[in-house]
Amino acid sequence: MKEHDEESFLIDKTLEDEYYKQRLLKINALRNMKIDPYPVESNFLDYISNIKNKFEENKLSETDETTVVGRLFSKRLHGKMSFADIIDFTGKIQIQLKKDILGEQYDFFKNYIDIGDFIQVSGNLFRTKTGEITVLVKTIKILSKALRALPEKWHGLKNVELRYRFRYLDLISNPKTRDIFVKRSKIISFIRKFFEERGFLEVETPMLHIIPGGASAKPFVTYHNVLEKNLFLRIAPELYLKRLLIGNFHKIFEINRSFRNEGVSVKHNPEFTMLEAYQAYSDLNDMMSLAEELLFYLCQNVLGTTDIVYQGKTYSFKPPLRRLDFDESIKEYVGLTEDQLKDKAFLQSFVKNLGCQFSEEWGLGKLKLEIFEHIVEKKIEEPTFVVGYPAEVSPLAKKDPLNPEKAHRFELIVAGREIGNAHSELNDPIYQKNMFLEQAKLKESGDEEAQSMDEDFIFALEHGMPPAGGLGLGIDRIVMLLTDSPSIRDVIFFPHLKPN
């Protein structure tokens, strides 16, 4: 049987079972030979990439013995001399095995070591005639026996669904996938560094909420046995972070996991990672500058450029980014007029024709938001701050002092997707309570994403909160941009999928 048979072992149960049985027999044989297929001890000295670099730099010579540990990735058997490849997190190295050096261990390798097994080899480094750095093996030890086959060795998992469902195999066989997640780690590290350099304090807030709040979204519900009450998985940390502003913290941020009971798609995952940052004595314009600086900083430090290529198009993150008024965006991308945007009956008819959920209770702001989200957002390509969202759909933001129908709020749109949201934060407890009551009416009319009344937050707000700006950014979507990934599933290790 071929060691690598494309992805058939993940699909064809007959082949998989046969392969599994063969490996079980080998495990039993190893144990009969008093060889532990899962020993406790191993001798890790260094990563493969470091070992190769040391040899390149003459810090290791052909007379120095070294030890390599990793997963066997390929075998090329040739009578009394064979070659194989070992991989680890950092790369791959070739090993050469000779019968006259290894003796019985050579037959042990041929008969009992399979692709996918973790092994340890010791020997001397040398270069082959083609210049490839290789280990001439003197001793070999099995560290962990794999019972199932790996994907096809050269191309990895090609089926996208299987790549998401069997991410661990995708990581083994697709270097590009590993690179995405290494870059994701760097992005999060640089986000943390960016805020710490600017005097922000990283904090943690609860993930189980008594009342879902801080965003417009349908929550997941769970039950606490001791408290004998329903709790909700966090949809956003905003209301708890504002409590910290009330408690005299000045600059705070949280890199948090949030949960929203919404659809699964290329841009949505029920659980996701987001950044929220708050700064006292600042406003929407400060948050706009902060977002620009952060994205500029990430592009420079992660990619070395401020012009990124995403899905074949080039986007510049060099400040200042484009500003576009919310109403003007509907005029520009939908073609509606100023009079039409003020005509509730016209907007109701327009929204009904879009085929989306609809309620007679909706005001102009909610109707315009539906049009924006269904038509406009996907058409905005270059990085753009859409400012002046309707106050009606911005219950946590201050009103624009020049136009009370609008909120002091922006959303950052890039490549047709919302990347972030920011406010001049509402700190008037009376107005905040009225906004929550308006949201309650929307919820009663069938809007499952409307925010709930949070009396405890109102009580906290009544003790006084400084004027502040708040910024929320979707980290998964930022990673998508900086890794040129078309789907949010490409940048989440284990995305949620429909049952297999």
Side-chain angles (χ1 to χ4, degrees):
M1 181 184 294
K2 288 172 64 179
E3 285 287 353
H4 297 286
D5 207 5
E6 293 294 325
E7 294 160 29
S8 59
F9 289 114
L10 297 175
I11 302 167
D12 190 322
K13 197 70 172 68
T14 304
L15 284 172
E16 189 174 344
D17 286 348
E18 182 59 33
Y19 196 87
Y20 187 88
K21 288 175 185 176
Q22 289 184 14
R23 296 236 177 158
L24 277 179
L25 291 173
K26 291 184 181 182
I27 285 178
N28 291 332
L30 289 171
R31 287 181 169 141
N32 288 334
M33 291 186 288
K34 307 301 181 184
I35 296 173
D36 186 354
Y38 306 99
V40 173
E41 294 182 353
S42 62
N43 187 26
F44 174 80
L45 295 181
D46 208 342
Y47 290 110
I48 286 172
S49 63
N50 291 339
I51 291 171
K52 293 172 75 172
N53 287 339
K54 288 176 182 177
F55 188 73
E56 293 274 13
E57 296 166 2
N58 296 318
K59 294 177 181 177
L60 277 176
S61 70
E62 293 188 1
T63 58
D64 295 321
E65 188 169 298
T66 190
T67 298
V68 174
V69 297
R71 187 190 292 272
L72 189 68
F73 195 58
S74 68
K75 287 174 73 175
R76 300 178 292 282
L77 303 177
H78 305 291
K80 295 184 179 182
M81 182 180 72
S82 298
F83 289 90
D85 292 316
I86 295 177
I87 61 170
D88 69 7
F89 177 74
T90 66
K92 179 181 72 171
I93 193 167
Q94 179 174 264
I95 62 173
Q96 184 185 50
L97 306 101
K98 292 184 175 181
K99 173 78 171 177
D100 60 352
I101 294 176
L102 290 168
E104 292 182 356
Q105 278 202 312
Y106 183 77
D107 296 323
F108 171 79
F109 171 80
K110 289 181 66 175
N111 297 322
Y112 296 101
I113 302 294
D114 294 301
I115 292 170
D117 293 351
F118 283 87
I119 63 172
Q120 171 182 303
V121 298
S122 296
N124 299 96
L125 294 170
F126 73 100
R127 286 187 186 274
T128 63
K129 292 180 180 179
T130 59
E132 184 169 359
I133 297 173
T134 303
V135 181
L136 178 59
V137 179
K138 293 182 177 178
T139 62
I140 185 168
K141 177 182 179 179
I142 187 164
L143 299 179
S144 179
K145 188 72 182 167
L147 283 172
R148 299 193 184 275
L150 295 181
E152 202 276 334
K153 63 181 178 180
W154 304 119
H155 306 293
L157 288 174
K158 290 174 283 187
N159 182 296
V160 174
E161 177 78 8
L162 291 176
R163 285 180 48 226
Y164 300 148
R165 202 171 292 280
F166 301 98
R167 178 67 84 193
Y168 43 92
L169 298 179
D170 185 28
L171 291 166
I172 293 169
S173 57
N174 290 332
K176 184 179 178 181
T177 300
R178 291 197 301 275
D179 291 343
I180 286 173
F181 287 101
V182 170
K183 193 169 287 182
R184 178 189 175 104
S185 180
K186 290 179 179 178
I187 290 167
I188 293 174
S189 178
F190 278 119
I191 289 173
R192 185 169 275 115
K193 183 179 179 183
F194 173 88
F195 281 97
E196 289 175 345
E197 287 176 348
R198 285 155 181 78
F200 283 76
L201 180 72
E202 185 172 9
V203 298
E204 294 178 316
T205 60
M207 295 177 72
L208 288 175
H209 289 189
I210 296 173
I211 295 171
S216 297
K218 184 180 178 182
F220 287 96
V221 185
T222 187
Y223 185 78
H224 194 290
N225 292 327
V226 175
L227 296 179
E228 296 183 338
K229 67 187 304 179
N230 285 336
L231 294 176
F232 303 88
L233 293 182
R234 170 172 63 196
I235 58 175
E238 178 165 340
L239 300 187
Y240 281 97
L241 290 170
K242 286 181 176 177
R243 287 170 168 90
L244 298 182
L245 292 177
I246 295 166
N248 277 354
F249 280 87
H250 181 199
K251 289 180 168 183
I252 52 176
F253 77 99
E254 182 174 11
I255 296 173
N256 66 88
R257 203 75 167 165
S258 290
F259 307 83
R260 297 181 186 177
N261 201 347
E262 57 191 18
V264 177
S265 69
V266 295
K267 62 179 183 179
H268 289 109
N269 195 63
E271 57 178 305
F272 57 95
T273 305
M274 62 188 297
L275 159 83
E276 288 212 6
Y278 292 83
Q279 181 174 337
Y281 316 112
S282 66
D283 62 15
L284 182 75
N285 294 315
D286 297 308
M287 294 301 103
M288 210 173 292
S289 296
L290 191 67
E292 283 180 332
E293 290 173 17
L294 174 61
L295 291 169
F296 182 76
Y297 177 89
L298 290 176
C299 289
Q300 282 190 314
N301 284 280
V302 177
L303 302 179
T305 177
T306 56
D307 292 339
I308 71 166
V309 177
Y310 181 72
Q311 300 300 289
K313 296 181 179 179
T314 300
Y315 301 98
S316 174
F317 284 92
K318 184 177 181 180
L321 302 183
R322 179 192 184 204
R323 272 74 164 161
L324 178 63
D325 178 78
F326 180 86
D327 284 355
E328 293 301 318
S329 74
I330 298 177
K331 294 177 188 177
E332 178 179 339
Y333 291 100
V334 185
L336 301 188
T337 66
E338 184 71 28
D339 288 340
Q340 288 172 328
L341 290 177
K342 294 177 180 178
D343 186 337
K344 185 173 181 179
F346 171 82
L347 292 179
Q348 285 178 329
S349 176
F350 193 95
V351 169
K352 283 180 182 178
N353 290 333
L354 291 176
C356 56
Q357 185 185 13
F358 174 79
S359 171
E360 297 288 346
E361 301 295 322
W362 289 355
L364 289 175
K366 177 65 173 173
L367 292 167
K368 288 191 286 188
L369 181 66
E370 289 296 318
I371 295 171
F372 180 86
E373 291 183 341
H374 281 81
I375 301 176
V376 178
E377 185 177 289
K378 67 184 71 172
K379 293 183 178 181
I380 298 175
E381 288 287 342
E382 68 173 294
T384 302
F385 291 114
V386 178
V387 297
Y389 272 68
E392 177 191 346
V393 294
S394 308
L396 297 167
K398 284 185 174 179
K399 288 183 178 180
D400 187 329
L402 300 178
N403 185 347
E405 296 299 314
K406 294 176 177 284
H408 233 223
R409 170 188 172 191
F410 74 70
E411 284 193 356
L412 174 58
I413 312 295
V414 184
R417 295 191 183 106
E418 177 205 346
I419 301 300
N421 185 30
H423 308 142
S424 292
E425 299 297 338
L426 182 56
N427 59 346
D428 178 340
I430 297 171
Y431 179 53
Q432 181 67 84
K433 187 169 185 177
N434 288 335
M435 291 300 290
F436 279 153
L437 290 172
E438 290 298 319
Q439 288 285 299
K441 291 179 183 178
L442 288 174
K443 191 176 284 287
E444 289 172 5
S445 69
D447 186 351
E448 293 182 307
E449 295 187 351
Q451 299 203 37
S452 302
M453 169 66 76
D454 189 335
E455 293 282 2
D456 182 73
F457 175 67
I458 297 297
F459 181 76
L461 203 57
E462 289 171 345
H463 290 81
M465 188 183 95
L471 171 67
L473 292 172
I475 289 179
D476 303 314
R477 292 185 181 181
I478 290 174
V479 176
M480 287 173 64
L481 283 172
L482 299 188
T483 59
D484 194 17
S485 299
S487 171
I488 197 169
R489 298 174 188 174
D490 293 324
V491 301
I492 295 174
F493 271 125
F494 303 105
H496 288 275
L497 303 167
K498 292 180 181 179
N500 190 6

